[in-house]
Structures are given as structure tokens and as C-alpha cells.
Amino acid sequence: MKKTGLGLLLALALAACTSPSGIRTTGSLRIQGVQPNVVAGCVVRAGDWMALKGNTFGTQEDWDSGQNYVLFPPDLLASAELTRESDPATLFFQVPQGATSGTLQVHVEGVGDAEIPIQVMASAYTPQMAVPVCEAPTPPE
């Protein structure tokens, strides 16, 4: 009985460590980090860059063809750029004009999906901009 309880505890601990709290994933997709850290309460504005780090995001060709996508509420597609394919995979995208708060959806064909809670503000300045985890990433070159 103790081995079963310990195994369950270890499985729960592993699941808790595979993605930041508040991010739901399916399949084998794992999100390791979001910048700015919208899960911790950071807000974003239209035009801000965001970055995801994870185990895999497919290929740039799949993003360009629309097979993989990032969807902001209310159903706004963001063009994405895969800047690193592994160790960890890194995906950059911009918050589109008209995006609203809700659930950001990421789809990687054949890998899985992610749902990330997001707060979008309309104002040009947010008080959290000075907090290091809330800084927008540098755009890819």
C-alpha cells in the first residue's frame, strides 16, 4: 500500500513540474515557460511580443502553413516564429490588435494543445512593466 501511495505522490509531483500552474496541455506538448509570465498575473497589450518555451513546437513550415497556430480570444490568429527547435523549443508571437482577456490557445499538429490564461489591457502602460517576470521578450531578428 505504501508503494502505491508513494508512486501516486511522485506522479503528481512530476505532473506539477511539467508545466507552470494554470496552463493546461494535451498530448505530449509541454510548456516550460511563458514570457511575459501571464500565468503569474502579468498583462499584455496589442503589439507586445510573447515567447513560449516547451518541449516541441513542430517546424516553421507547419506554423507558416497554418497547421500549427496560436489563437487569442476572440479567435484572432497570431503569426508565430519558431526561433529554436529544441533544448528548449522557443516560439515567438505578437499579441494581435483586438485581442481580449481569456484563454490563449496553442495547437501543435500531432503533438498537442495548450490553453494559457491571459489578461490583455488596452492602455499603453501597465504598472507591471517594471517587474522582471512581466517584461516582454526581445523580438526575434
Side-chain angles (χ1 to χ4, degrees):
M1 191 70 137
K2 283 187 177 184
K3 282 187 177 181
T4 304
L6 181 60
L8 179 59
L9 182 60
L10 289 173
L12 290 172
L14 179 61
C17 294
T18 56
S19 18
S21 180
I23 297 177
R24 287 184 273 153
T25 60
T26 64
S28 62
L29 181 62
R30 298 292 171 256
I31 304 295
Q32 299 164 352
V34 181
Q35 187 182 0
N37 191 345
V38 293
V39 178
C42 298
V43 297
V44 294
R45 302 159 297 153
D48 282 355
W49 282 93
M50 293 185 67
L52 294 180
K53 292 195 183 291
N55 61 331
T56 184
F57 293 118
T59 66
Q60 185 62 51
E61 292 78 25
D62 292 339
W63 290 97
D64 293 342
S65 72
Q67 191 171 359
N68 298 342
Y69 56 85
V70 174
L71 191 64
F72 279 84
D75 299 326
L76 299 173
L77 285 172
S79 60
E81 185 174 336
L82 185 63
T83 60
R84 191 171 190 177
E85 291 190 16
S86 62
D87 302 321
T90 306
L91 186 70
F92 279 88
F93 50 91
Q94 277 186 293
V95 179
Q97 290 292 332
T100 59
S101 298
T103 303
L104 173 68
Q105 297 175 21
V106 179
H107 174 76
V108 181
E109 187 68 29
V111 178
D113 296 293
E115 293 183 343
I116 304 168
I118 189 167
Q119 292 183 53
V120 179
M121 290 191 85
S123 70
Y125 174 77
T126 63
Q128 298 169 340
M129 291 173 83
V131 178
V133 297
C134 292
E135 291 179 9
T138 304
E141 294 180 16

